[in-house]
Amino acid sequence: MNHETLSLVLAGLSGLCWTIVYIECIRLGIKQKTYAMPFWALALNIGWEGMHSVIGLQKEGVSLQVVINIIWFIFDIGILYTYFRYGRKEFSAAFSPFWLYVWSAFVLVFAFIIQFLFVKEFGLVTGGAYSAFIQNLLMSLLFIDMLAYRKSSEGQSLMLAVNKWLGTLAPTILFGYLGAPDFSASALVLALGIFCSIVDLIYIMLLMRIQAKERA
């Protein structure tokens, strides 16, 4: 398998696995009347995928990654709906519904600014890669935090956890080890991707333990 084919396979695998993650987040949110992705991680995702969808269409046209970004952004909006629809119960002690919306709007604005500055500082491809892996590591840590906060598997599943791990492992190999046409292999990306895998595997183990206790 040549480098170009392997790159397409890894990009496609990442796109498929993350699409499963997003669909599972929406399914769990609606079924269990909760939200399934930590909000800071969701806000950064919306900022990244919204910005890279628009800029990608302008600069690259309709490429595989741009199409994947657009699909992800659409699913992000679905996850955002579950957050606003069902998330109020987790914040009712600290925020009235009005202030929850205000706070959430600030977080979304912050996320867009952060993503914009990554692109401005490092360029579209390099900035996008750096921010994607940093926010991915943050998401991995926040999933463990959410598991500890809820003390249950509410809004979480092995389908979600395993696909998040694989969906990050594939681009770790591509951008961290092999390198892509517009992005040389990066030690920083490789390290962030490895850290993500370690935390994701810990999360999978913790989730399995909690699910086993819930079934007992």
Side-chain angles (χ1 to χ4, degrees), residues 6-200:
L6 182 57
S7 296
L8 286 173
V9 169
L10 290 171
L13 177 62
S14 176
L16 174 63
C17 289
W18 274 104
T19 300
I20 292 172
V21 169
Y22 294 156
I23 292 173
E24 181 70 355
C25 282
I26 296 170
R27 186 191 73 83
L28 288 169
I30 293 173
K31 180 181 179 180
Q32 300 182 7
K33 292 182 171 51
T34 187
Y35 64 96
M37 183 177 288
F39 183 62
W40 269 99
L42 174 59
L44 288 167
N45 270 11
I46 291 173
W48 195 99
E49 284 147 13
M51 185 171 299
H52 284 267
S53 294
V54 173
I55 299 176
L57 282 173
Q58 293 173 343
K59 293 193 172 184
E60 302 175 18
V62 183
S63 66
L64 174 62
Q65 188 59 55
V66 170
V67 171
I68 290 172
N69 291 343
I70 293 171
I71 292 171
W72 286 346
F73 180 74
I74 292 169
F75 284 126
D76 281 336
I77 300 305
I79 302 171
L80 186 64
Y81 164 78
T82 63
Y83 168 79
F84 282 120
R85 178 69 177 82
Y86 303 115
R88 287 173 292 180
K89 64 182 180 181
E90 294 195 18
F91 297 95
S92 58
F95 296 111
S96 67
F98 171 78
W99 287 110
L100 174 61
Y101 292 134
V102 171
W103 166 248
S104 300
F106 273 121
V107 172
L108 289 166
V109 171
F110 295 159
F112 271 98
I113 292 173
I114 289 169
Q115 300 298 3
F116 172 77
L117 292 176
F118 263 102
V119 171
K120 187 176 186 298
E121 187 78 15
F122 300 106
L124 180 64
V125 177
T126 303
Y130 288 166
S131 63
F133 279 90
I134 290 171
Q135 73 192 50
N136 213 319
L137 179 57
L138 175 64
M139 183 187 297
S140 299
L141 294 167
L142 288 174
F143 266 115
I144 292 179
D145 182 70
M146 188 165 73
L147 191 65
Y149 172 78
R150 290 179 174 174
K151 298 182 176 62
S152 74
S153 63
E154 178 188 350
Q156 298 160 89
S157 73
L158 287 176
M159 174 75 75
L160 189 162
V162 171
N163 277 283
K164 184 206 173 302
W165 168 51
L166 294 176
T168 306
L169 181 60
T172 297
I173 297 170
L174 177 57
F175 293 101
Y177 180 70
L178 296 176
D182 299 320
F183 188 88
S184 300
S186 166
L188 174 60
V189 167
L190 182 61
L192 289 169
I194 290 172
F195 295 158
C196 280
S197 279
I198 292 171
V199 177
D200 285 341

